[in-house]
Amino acid sequence: MTKKIGILASYNGSGFQTIQKAIEDKILDAKIVVVISNNSTANALNTAEQLDIPNFIINANKYPNENLDEKITKLLLEYDCDYIFLSGYMKKIETNLIQAFEDKIINTHPALLPSKYGGKGMYGRFVHEAIIKNNEKKSGVTIHFVNEKYDDGKIILTKELDIKSDETVDSLESKIKDLETIAIIEAFEKVLAK
């Protein structure tokens, strides 16, 4: 039975593209059924448009007096999503969504969790900058379920890499992005096999 995946993305949605490609290459038995963004100029919306995937903008500008969490939850339930993937989604996931999709919301973090490189404000380059500054020997990618706390949900899998002595924030970011592509597909293979 093909599983249905909903995507929440704020910008490019590179993880969304990774999953879509794995679906097209018959690696994952799944289908992306809806893409939601809080950013009206998100590239992820254009990608969804090109792929004929229904896509929606849900933010306070568009719906000033509505409960956005409720709106997003309702939409994902309407599309009968089995899993939700956060593809660079920059908003905190609220209670409604977490309760409706317990252990079904998947996020990727560009460091090894649990560690001091998770939590509020720890995303993207900020993570890599902190890791380089602290002369860490290892970093990696964590794919985890989402709960009420930032970067605190049950871990699905981690992939690690060694940090070279001459590593820069840019080189680390690039390696982590490559590793993330592999990790996302492996995590979904693991989750979809259940």
Side-chain angles (χ1 to χ4, degrees), residues 145-160:
F145 289 113
V146 173
N147 64 14
E148 276 90 349
K149 292 193 201 122
Y150 281 112
D151 304 325
D152 181 60
K154 205 161 55 194
I155 291 172
I156 301 167
L157 65 80
T158 55
K159 294 227 159 264
E160 62 176 51

Side-chain angles (χ1 to χ4, degrees), residues 56 93 164:
F56 301 88
I93 300 300
K164 299 197 165 31

Side-chain angles (χ1 to χ4, degrees), residues 115-127:
S115 74
K116 59 187 171 207
Y117 302 110
K120 194 167 167 51
M122 271 293 170
Y123 59 89
R125 280 183 77 85
F126 297 119
V127 175

Side-chain angles (χ1 to χ4, degrees), residues 29 38 61 101-102 109 146 163 165 181:
D29 181 14
N38 59 314
N61 292 345
F101 292 96
E102 197 176 342
H109 186 74
V146 173
I163 297 176
S165 55
T181 302

Side-chain angles (χ1 to χ4, degrees), residues 67-85:
N67 180 328
L68 302 181
D69 176 40
E70 227 166 72
K71 215 165 180 51
I72 291 168
T73 305
K74 203 167 159 233
L75 202 51
L76 292 168
L77 287 168
E78 254 169 53
Y79 277 90
D80 205 17
C81 294
D82 296 296
Y83 291 98
I84 316 298
F85 180 70

